[in-house]
Amino acid sequence: DMLNSLDTAYARALISLELKQYTSTMWTPDETIIGLRNYANSTNNRLLFCMVLTRAAFDGVSITPSDVVNELGISRNAVDTMVKETEEAGWITVERDQNQYRKLIAKPVMVKAYLAYATALADASQELDLAGLNQARKHAKLLGLYEPNSLPL
């Protein structure tokens, strides 16, 4: 039926988008950010760490290692390792106050890398018409034609 077809079309388009993301065919970073992209994509924790710092940069704030630990639910040791790695690579700035508490700030190269990725993701999403498919699903729900996650498999 139509509703199952909408969900299937959306799921298929989402698979296509995710395949583009994970096979790195969606975008080719310039040489200033390729190392950062490779670092972030090497583990889930590194990716999430970079995302949290980039979001803080978008918000114009710094973030502490404890903030990262609490938000991501990863060990303090893992966060400390990533702070060391990304600071040495020149992707973040670590400011220390008089008590040696650290504040982490994403450098412009990290923000630039995520903006390039986000733009490529938006373009790929438009090509696959994810927004159009999702709007059709939204209106079907608003009309009471079905409940999300209630369709038979």
Side-chain angles (χ1 to χ4, degrees), residues 92-106:
I92 69 168
T93 299
V94 179
E95 293 180 351
R96 290 170 176 81
D97 68 13
Q98 66 275 10
N99 297 320
Q100 293 303 305
Y101 289 115
R102 296 174 293 170
K103 291 186 176 185
L104 313 176
I105 303 162

Side-chain angles (χ1 to χ4, degrees), residues 28-97:
T28 303
D30 67 38
E31 294 193 13
T32 64
I33 58 177
I34 197 163
L36 176 56
R37 186 203 58 183
N38 292 342
Y39 174 84
N41 287 339
S42 65
T43 70
N44 284 338
N45 283 350
R46 286 176 172 169
L47 177 61
L48 295 172
F49 175 82
C50 291
M51 290 171 67
V52 167
L53 265 70
T54 301
R55 184 186 61 201
F58 288 148
D59 295 342
V61 298
S62 60
I63 190 166
T64 67
S66 294
D67 294 332
V68 177
V69 167
N70 292 333
E71 181 167 355
L72 300 180
I74 58 180
S75 73
R76 180 61 177 241
N77 189 44
V79 170
D80 288 341
T81 298
M82 290 182 284
V83 168
K84 182 178 185 291
E85 292 168 345
T86 54
E87 182 181 28
E88 287 176 357
W91 300 323
I92 69 168
T93 299
V94 179
E95 293 180 351
R96 290 170 176 81
D97 68 13

Side-chain angles (χ1 to χ4, degrees), residues 26-30 33 110-122:
M26 191 173 66
W27 69 299
T28 303
D30 67 38
I33 58 177
M110 187 176 280
V111 174
K112 174 185 173 185
Y114 199 83
L115 283 172
Y117 165 74
T119 301
L121 183 63

